[in-house]
Amino acid sequence: MTRYSVFAVAREALRHHRGWTRAWESPAPRAAYDAIIVGAGGHGLATAYYLGKNHGIRNVAILEKGWLGGGNTGRNTTIIRSNYLQDPSAAIYEKSRSLYETLSQELNYNVMFSPRGVMMLAQTEHEVRGYKRTAHANALQGVATEFITPERVKELCPIIEIRGPRYPVLGALWQPRGGTARHDAVAWGYARACSDMGMHVIQNCEVTAVRTENGRVTGVSTTKGEIATRKLGIVVAGHSGVMAERAGFRLPIESVALQALVSEPIKPCMDVVVMANTVHGYMSQSDKGEMVIGGGADGYNNYNQRGSFHHIEETVRALIETFPIISRLKMLRQWGGIVDMTGDRSPILSKTPVEGCFINCGWGTGGFKAIPGSGWAMAELMARGESPLAAEFGLDRFREGRFVDESVAAGVAH
Ligand SMILES: Cc1cc2nc3c(=O)[nH]c(=O)nc-3n(C[C@H](O)[C@H](O)[C@H](O)COP(=O)(O)OP(=O)(O)OC[C@H]3O[C@@H](n4cnc5c(N)ncnc54)[C@H](O)[C@@H]3O)c2cc1C
């Protein structure tokens, strides 16, 4: 792999950029691998990366039915934060956020991590109480957040109308080291690093069946042929239910479309991320100047990657109350992704009823922020059979009623 650096750019500039090599290989599948990951989204690629880096398992294939990063990883609004309420959630999201801090250096790929600060507005008394509670919980968990006053909100984000009309800003939960990163770059950076370790990232290769013998995984059938393995990681987000059925078990997951939109680019006017859970919308400004706006999930299960117009209307109408400045902006484009929702709004990182088969899903509307931490934990689970970070997120919790309830922290779809 060519190491990216200022010297490499200068050297290539001198020879008309003819010396760059491909960022990752596109090999044909082998007959067998030590481990196979289904799904080349951020979580699947990060799992493969940490399998190689932390556990020395490098004879690995990552199989992707479309193009890598073409699922939710390339469709999300890139918010990164770790201000969750429950201890197991704060642990895995904070691990993830801290890995993001140095991910560009680690992967030698600029993921454009921008810890510009994330605020969650409190616009009802109920939210004030809830966020103060989260700030106290975060203090105990070692996650740096604070509850700030409306005046401080206005200082940090002058374009907010804090006086109302329907929902005045009463304060906010502020995480100064939360922020954003470039979503495609996260997938590309992990893919490049995996390929550099000799792993196979195989695109246009759908897994159509999981082969088992005596309750143990033996391989997968794919659109590029049969491939054997004794360790299988299913990491397919919105298609987790479909893949679980192919492996012979059921998941407590619902798949729904979640959508987002961006405005035409404008001059810099907002250098923090703001989430407004009560009116149900959130906004940040991209480096290109577009206002990146996320809304709610569809109210019915579906696999439609487009979303519906009434959601855009609702989201924008709600946000205009808090940000009157956006009322005359034009929408540039809109898109949707299929998110995998659990009942307690927490992920599933787990062994499955099929021996040798592991599942990582249920990140729902908020899994981009979790990519490095989730990959770290899933790799540990696959390599060693257990992971402290994943311990509370097993499938057993649904049978035992041991939920990790994050419905408040995940209140707005991000
Ligand atoms: C509009 C929107 C906004 C969001 N905003 C945020 C945000 O601001 N912050 C945040 O933290 N999270 C956000 N999320 C959630 C986040 O995007 C996801 O939780 C995360 O990207 C999931 O990553 P993944 O790798 O698990 O899934 P994906 O990136 O979806 O990857 C799964 C891959 O599996 C592949 N696949 C499926 N079936 C098969 C098969 N049978 N064989 C082979 N491959 C298969 C798919 O093609 C896909 O590429 C948002 C999501 C959406 C849709």
Side-chain angles (χ1 to χ4, degrees):
M1 169 172 90
T2 316
R3 203 173 156 71
Y4 296 156
S5 69
V6 65
F7 303 109
V9 173
R11 191 179 58 237
E12 288 308 321
L14 289 175
R15 54 179 178 184
H16 305 288
H17 294 283
R18 290 206 197 95
W20 295 116
T21 51
R22 282 184 181 278
W24 53 82
E25 302 294 327
S26 291
R30 287 191 199 119
Y33 292 91
D34 293 342
I36 287 180
I37 307 294
V38 190
H43 288 258
L45 290 160
T47 301
Y49 174 76
Y50 294 112
L51 269 177
K53 189 185 168 228
N54 294 354
H55 305 284
I57 303 175
R58 296 186 172 184
N59 181 20
V60 176
I62 306 110
L63 309 180
E64 167 55 51
K65 74 171 176 176
W67 67 96
L68 71 88
N72 294 343
T73 299
R75 293 164 186 268
N76 74 87
T77 45
T78 78
I79 297 176
I80 295 169
R81 61 185 178 87
S82 58
N83 53 356
Y84 283 70
L85 179 65
Q86 311 289 352
D87 291 350
S89 323
I92 195 164
Y93 286 106
E94 177 60 12
K95 170 79 182 171
S96 197
R97 201 204 55 76
S98 66
L99 287 170
Y100 264 119
E101 295 261 3
T102 51
L103 197 59
S104 296
Q105 292 79 357
E106 159 107 21
L107 299 178
N108 179 231
Y109 201 94
N110 188 1
V111 302
M112 295 166 73
F113 177 57
S114 162
R116 59 185 70 180
V118 173
M119 66 169 79
M120 294 166 88
L121 300 182
Q123 291 174 289
T124 63
E125 288 298 336
H126 178 76
E127 273 183 317
V128 171
R129 280 201 300 274
Y131 289 148
K132 281 188 176 167
R133 182 182 174 209
T134 305
H136 293 316
N138 290 165
L140 294 172
Q141 293 150 348
V143 177
T145 65
E146 62 177 307
F147 189 81
I148 56 174
T149 61
E151 293 69 36
R152 178 85 176 115
V153 168
K154 185 80 182 164
E155 207 176 282
L156 287 163
C157 186
I159 64 169
I160 290 187
E161 170 54 89
I162 58 170
R163 286 164 307 176
R166 275 193 305 169
Y167 295 110
V169 174
L170 307 173
L173 180 63
W174 170 238
Q175 182 166 27
R177 294 299 292 179
T180 59
R182 168 93 197 269
H183 48 16
D184 303 314
V186 172
W188 297 337
Y190 275 121
R192 178 168 168 267
C194 287
S195 186
D196 191 46
M197 284 192 274
M199 296 180 179
H200 284 182
V201 183
I202 304 171
Q203 303 181 70
N204 297 312
C205 180
E206 178 172 358
V207 173
T208 51
V210 175
R211 293 189 340 236
T212 57
E213 232 174 73
N214 302 325
R216 186 172 218 306
V217 74
T218 56
V220 288
S221 307
T222 78
T223 46
K224 293 194 174 182
E226 305 289 310
I227 312 177
T229 191
R230 307 275 292 170
K231 257 186 202 219
L232 181 69
I234 299 177
V235 197
V236 295
H239 289 82
S240 298
V242 178
M243 267 309 298
E245 201 177 325
R246 289 176 186 169
F249 59 93
R250 294 189 68 202
L251 286 176
I253 288 274
E254 295 189 344
S255 291
V256 295
L258 173 71
Q259 60 189 315
L261 65 140
V262 290
S263 73
E264 59 189 326
I266 53 172
K267 293 224 165 111
C269 63
M270 182 181 177
D271 61 1
V272 293
V273 179
V274 178
M275 296 163 55
N277 291 0
T278 293
V279 299
H280 216 99
Y282 59 94
M283 192 162 82
S284 64
Q285 189 166 22
S286 77
D287 293 341
K288 284 183 283 181
E290 300 156 345
M291 303 311 288
V292 182
I293 297 174
D298 276 353
Y300 51 91
N301 295 353
N302 66 83
Y303 289 93
N304 173 354
Q305 276 186 319
R306 288 149 46 126
S308 45
F309 188 71
H310 84 272
H311 259 304
I312 300 176
E313 219 179 358
E314 258 173 35
T315 301
V316 172
R317 193 180 54 216
L319 275 182
I320 285 173
E321 291 190 19
T322 312
F323 299 95
I325 185 181
I326 64 169
S327 67
R328 298 180 69 179
L329 280 184
K330 294 191 182 71
M331 183 175 90
L332 191 64
R333 55 178 195 279
Q334 168 271 351
W335 64 91
I338 308 303
V339 294
D340 40 339
M341 312 286 279
T342 56
D344 60 1
R345 299 297 183 256
S346 285
I348 297 170
L349 283 143
S350 185
K351 294 179 180 170
T352 70
V354 180
E355 211 188 322
C357 176
F358 302 81
I359 185 116
N360 177 349
C361 64
W363 295 98
T365 61
F368 175 70
K369 62 180 72 63
I371 285 173
S374 150
W376 183 287
M378 179 72 172
E380 200 170 23
L381 184 64
M382 288 183 69
R384 298 194 180 152
E386 57 184 14
S387 159
L389 281 174
E392 299 298 322
F393 297 114
L395 270 171
D396 290 352
R397 76 178 190 271
F398 297 97
R399 203 171 36 241
E400 295 165 5
R402 210 171 17 82
F403 302 119
V404 186
D405 188 351
E406 287 293 358
S407 41
V408 173
V412 70
H414 46 272

